[in-house]
Amino acid sequence: MRKILAASLLALSVGVSGSAFADPLKIGMITTLSGGGAGLGVDVRDGFMLALKQADAKDIEVVTEDDAQKPELAVQIADKMIQSDKVDLLTGIIWSNLAMAVVPNAVAQGKFYLSTNAGPSALAGTKCDKNYFNVSYQNDNLHEAMGNYANTAGYKKMFILAPNYPAGTDSLTGFKRYYKGELAGEVYTKVGQTDYAAEIAQIRDSGADAVFFFLPGGMGIAFMKQYAQSGVETPVMGPGFSFDQDVLGAIGDAALGVKNSSHWSKDLDNAANKKFVEGFQAEYGRLPSLYAVQGYDTANLILSAAAKASVKDADAFRAALKEANFDSVRGKFKFNSNNHPIQDIYVREVIKEGDVLTNKIVATSFTDHEDAYAKDCKM
């Protein structure tokens, strides 16, 4: 079960920004590397490791294990990493139900947890913690942006669907927070579902003028293929998770023209993003996804903090994380009072560059967007 990245165990040389690390740092990465969600975890891991390689980061060890998308396994791995492997901080979880199982216990033991993806509302609000930093988004955010876009696009009767787990409920909550029209239907599917015939029949009969769905990884691939084959012509939209680089190749031309929201796009015009996109393609032979971005930014945040403070000095290291003094590929990035990002969120369109499906920015949905739960965080 245990997978240790060989590259992470190499004795690399050089610090960050001319500064050597105060102490070696051991990172436990728990992510999904098998099953239908494996592509997401692989991208997070690869983006994270690329940042360490580019920094030639000495004295950082990454212990990586596969959670197989199972909460009980993720908890076991986290306990082992904390108690036996003696990691200084944890990261890597993709799925919100796994994060809810792991994060509260990890921070209760005094460990830092930095989220590369999952952003459940509880951890942004009532269950926030000074040692929990989310470097991706709060779950509602990209869906809020599409609710806002649906108004702008003139849709009046939306059919919405998502999987029945924390990120799914957060997604539809976020969409409805900004969408002002009528709902033709609201459906929660099973996590890992692959047959969407019943849901597509509901959409056909609903009278909806558009469909919003959040179905990450293999779920979204299955839905879009079946939707294209069904002959239903109601336009679809979604968050970037449903139309990002990790799934576009599998979906195919059925995704062309679809609008989706993201806090990142490969055409963002800044030096850090250019370095990241070119470096990722050179290292792995593929375009990066937003999951790779989040792994990359998380690693660079850690590197920036480790250059300023020892993780053994929790207060100093926490303060260095909070500063977010790194060049994010997203451009502007800062933490809110609940240690969640304040950032811009864009509307993208799926296009084709040569034979490759990808995205381009067509609008900005939100500028300096904050999540709705920071007010409930009592830090």
Side-chain angles (χ1 to χ4, degrees):
M1 179 185 66
R2 181 173 177 174
K3 297 180 177 72
I4 299 179
L5 295 181
S8 72
L9 300 179
L10 295 177
L12 302 177
S13 59
V14 167
V16 180
S17 303
S19 300
F21 296 146
D23 282 300
L25 189 63
K26 192 170 187 179
I27 300 169
M29 176 174 283
I30 305 167
T31 198
T32 305
L33 300 173
S34 61
L40 287 58
V42 167
D43 273 9
V44 159
R45 178 198 66 189
D46 288 354
F48 193 95
M49 297 309 296
L50 175 64
L52 298 188
K53 181 175 182 179
Q54 287 180 343
D56 202 11
K58 186 179 181 180
D59 292 335
I60 289 188
E61 179 183 346
V62 182
V63 180
T64 302
E65 296 204 27
D66 178 15
D67 59 39
Q69 207 173 327
K70 297 177 181 178
E72 65 279 8
L73 179 57
V75 170
Q76 292 172 15
I77 294 170
D79 285 343
K80 183 185 70 65
M81 284 184 170
I82 293 170
Q83 295 162 18
S84 300
D85 296 328
K86 305 296 184 184
V87 299
D88 297 301
L89 60 85
L90 292 164
T91 190
I93 290 176
I94 299 295
W95 307 93
S96 289
N97 54 333
L98 275 68
M100 289 304 301
V102 168
V103 172
N105 184 52
V107 296
Q109 295 182 66
K111 297 299 178 181
F112 290 98
Y113 188 94
L114 279 71
S115 180
T116 54
N117 190 63
S121 55
L123 296 182
T126 56
K127 294 184 182 297
C128 68
D129 189 273
K130 63 182 181 181
N131 286 341
Y132 172 74
F133 288 81
N134 187 299
V135 199
S136 52
Y137 47 76
Q138 191 279 316
N139 281 347
D140 301 23
N141 293 164
L142 303 195
H143 316 288
E144 290 169 337
M146 289 313 290
N148 192 40
Y149 168 75
N151 299 325
T152 303
Y155 294 119
K156 304 294 186 184
K157 194 175 182 181
M158 296 288 303
F159 191 103
I160 62 177
L161 72 159
N164 190 15
Y165 78 117
T169 55
D170 284 349
S171 75
L172 299 193
T173 297
F175 183 88
K176 291 185 291 183
R177 184 174 289 121
Y178 283 85
Y179 173 60
K180 297 176 181 177
E182 179 185 350
L183 290 181
E186 180 176 355
V187 172
Y188 287 98
T189 65
K190 293 181 180 178
V191 176
Q193 184 170 321
T194 57
D195 183 355
Y196 294 94
E199 289 80 7
I200 292 171
Q202 286 180 267
I203 292 168
R204 180 188 285 112
D205 296 338
S206 70
D209 57 7
V211 177
F212 169 83
F213 74 91
F214 164 60
L215 294 166
M219 292 181 282
I221 295 168
F223 175 83
M224 278 302 294
K225 285 186 171 181
Q226 292 163 38
Y227 195 82
Q229 293 165 1
S230 72
V232 178
E233 296 183 354
T234 308
V236 299
M237 66 179 73
F241 319 112
S242 300
F243 296 97
D244 210 62
Q245 216 61 51
D246 58 303
V247 294
L248 282 177
I251 293 172
D253 288 352
L256 277 171
V258 172
K259 303 298 194 301
N260 63 94
S261 54
S262 183
H263 49 328
W264 171 83
S265 185
K266 73 177 183 63
D267 55 333
L268 278 175
D269 188 14
N270 65 69
N273 194 42
K274 182 177 180 180
K275 176 183 178 182
F276 164 67
V277 173
E278 291 179 352
F280 194 92
Q281 284 185 279
E283 185 72 17
Y284 302 113
R286 67 184 191 276
L287 287 172
S289 68
L290 64 84
Y291 300 99
V293 165
Q294 292 163 178
Y296 186 82
D297 268 1
T298 300
N300 278 317
L301 171 64
I302 293 168
L303 289 167
S304 72
K308 285 191 170 185
S310 167
V311 73
K312 310 302 182 188
D313 183 345
D315 290 340
F317 193 79
R318 186 184 306 112
L321 288 172
K322 187 78 171 185
E323 283 182 34
N325 187 23
F326 72 104
D327 292 328
S328 171
V329 301
R330 288 168 259 184
K332 293 186 297 180
F333 180 98
K334 64 180 179 180
F335 284 118
N336 202 349
S337 57
N338 61 346
N339 293 345
H340 281 62
I342 297 174
Q343 59 189 336
D344 297 346
I345 303 178
Y346 308 95
V347 177
R348 309 183 303 181
E349 180 180 340
V350 179
I351 61 169
K352 219 169 192 179
E353 292 182 347
D355 295 328
V356 179
L357 288 163
T358 188
N359 282 283
K360 69 173 181 180
I361 294 172
V362 294
T364 300
S365 186
F366 293 128
T367 300
D368 294 330
H369 190 58
E370 303 178 18
D371 68 85
Y373 305 97
K375 66 183 186 304
D376 301 322
C377 175
K378 303 306 180 184
M379 281 197 294

